[in-house]
Amino acid sequence: MRDTLLTGLLQNVAILLAVTFLYDIIWANETAYRNRWNQLMTGLVLGCVAILLMLTNWEFSPGLVFDSRSILMVNVGLFFGPVATVGAIVVAGTYRLFMGGPGVWMGIASIVFSATTGLVWKWLRPEWRKGGRRIAELAGAGFVAHLLMLLSFFLIKDPVIRSETFKKMSLTILFIYPLFSVLVGRLLINRMDNHRAKRELVENEARYNSFMNMNSDFMFMKDSSFRYVVVNDHFCTEMGKTREELLGKSDFELFTKELASNYNDSDKRVVESGEIVWFEEMI
């Protein structure tokens, strides 16, 4: 039983890790995800992932199966929003009803409880992803979701099966499941942070380029070999060259020997002294 449980859990976690790539797609086009239709489609896809988890289950007894759908659903509630969460609940719950067996109502309840826990946790603690307590927040949400899942065992009608299931699965559900919930949630947060950093980098670069190119003065940067690595539009216009023709070039390749020597000397003084050199030059 333990070997089957461990194997099933590891297989399920491998599937769950693939969900983080779905989050990549959403964050790559965050604006489009605000559309309710796109959120619903995401929920349907997540529901199909839950079905895949149910197909990769381990059987506790005939008709009573376990998998990691609750780990998925609590993170769906925490990260994907109410529309996607409801869509995932409907798809996963319908399939679990179709599976039947003595644990059918417990299975459906675990889907609803875990997803609702994620939603309510996000609603009550909207700032939970900010600050340094994100792991604790994930652990708290995961524990509450799986405590409710444990209580759903009382929906198993057969008292013998219910008692045996509770005895053998309670520690796994209360400790191992929340641990994997934290693992999946942490990966989702990492991907969210990476996409946010990329977006901020693009925005900062756009502001920087706007500042550089709206300036009517020459603006440029050089590397340690005094070759141009950044030039603004005005520089290109006055030089009569494209940006590609200027980047990587030195002053000696662009100006007369006398001007290039003056510029090169001033660059060296700046590097050696660390002081700003001011001069005006008409070309």
Side-chain angles (χ1 to χ4, degrees):
M1 168 67 183
R2 291 187 179 278
D3 290 342
T4 303
L5 189 153
L6 180 60
T7 301
L9 263 177
L10 291 176
Q11 289 174 338
N12 274 217
V13 169
I15 297 171
L16 286 169
L17 295 182
V19 176
T20 61
F21 294 104
L22 177 62
Y23 207 49
D24 274 345
I25 297 172
I26 290 174
W27 270 91
N29 197 357
E30 184 184 1
T31 303
Y33 186 68
R34 293 171 187 167
N35 181 284
R36 293 295 178 86
W37 174 252
N38 290 336
Q39 292 176 27
L40 179 59
M41 292 303 296
T42 300
L44 298 181
V45 171
L46 290 166
C48 291
V49 174
I51 292 175
L52 183 60
L53 292 171
M54 284 184 265
L55 291 172
T56 316
N57 59 54
W58 56 97
E59 192 171 50
F60 184 84
S61 64
L64 184 61
V65 297
F66 283 90
D67 50 69
S68 63
R69 83 195 81 138
S70 58
I71 297 173
L72 170 68
M73 298 306 291
V74 67
N75 280 292
V76 169
L78 282 169
F79 289 92
F80 290 89
V83 175
T85 302
V86 171
I89 289 174
V90 171
V91 173
T94 301
Y95 182 77
R96 185 61 190 91
L97 183 64
F98 170 78
M99 289 176 67
V104 59
W105 298 115
M106 183 206 78
I108 293 173
S110 68
I111 292 170
V112 176
F113 288 164
S114 53
T116 303
T117 299
L119 281 178
V120 172
W121 194 277
K122 184 178 181 179
W123 177 63
L124 293 176
R125 306 180 66 81
E127 303 296 316
W128 75 268
R129 287 185 292 194
K130 300 179 181 179
R133 293 180 52 81
R134 296 188 291 187
I135 298 299
E137 296 279 357
L138 286 170
F143 182 80
V144 170
H146 290 98
L147 177 61
L148 292 174
M149 178 182 172
L150 195 65
L151 293 176
S152 72
F153 281 13
F154 289 102
L155 295 172
I156 301 174
K157 293 181 179 181
D158 189 316
V160 176
I161 296 178
R162 182 172 63 240
S163 175
E164 191 71 14
T165 305
F166 191 89
K167 186 193 316 182
K168 293 186 177 179
M169 291 297 299
S170 57
L171 290 179
T172 299
I173 288 173
L174 283 180
F175 295 102
I176 303 300
Y177 275 48
L179 180 63
F180 283 123
S181 294
V182 171
L183 172 63
V184 174
R186 187 71 184 96
L187 288 173
L188 289 171
I189 287 176
N190 284 344
R191 293 190 175 279
M192 178 187 69
D193 288 346
N194 288 339
H195 280 285
R196 179 176 287 125
K198 289 178 182 177
R199 185 182 63 192
E200 291 175 353
L201 181 62
V202 169
E203 291 173 352
N204 290 335
E205 186 176 356
R207 284 193 291 266
Y208 168 77
N209 288 333
S210 177
F211 168 75
M212 290 279 290
N213 293 323
M214 290 180 66
N215 200 299
S216 59
D217 296 322
F218 280 12
M219 298 191 72
F220 56 84
M221 293 182 185
K222 297 178 182 179
D223 61 16
S224 58
S225 300
F226 306 125
R227 292 184 176 275
Y228 290 93
V229 292
V230 174
V231 293
N232 69 347
D233 287 347
H234 185 67
F235 193 106
C236 297
T237 300
E238 291 298 323
M239 293 295 295
K241 295 180 180 294
T242 65
R243 186 171 276 102
E244 289 72 22
E245 290 174 320
L246 294 172
L247 297 181
K249 299 290 178 54
S250 69
D251 289 321
F252 290 99
E253 296 172 275
L254 299 173
F255 301 103
T256 64
K257 185 177 181 180
E258 182 180 358
L259 280 175
S261 296
N262 290 337
Y263 296 156
N264 194 252
D265 289 342
S266 67
D267 289 341
K268 289 179 178 178
R269 288 202 306 273
V270 170
V271 172
E272 291 171 0
S273 65
E275 298 177 355
I276 297 175
V277 176
W278 295 88
F279 64 89
E280 294 185 8
E281 186 68 42
M282 299 297 295
I283 299 177

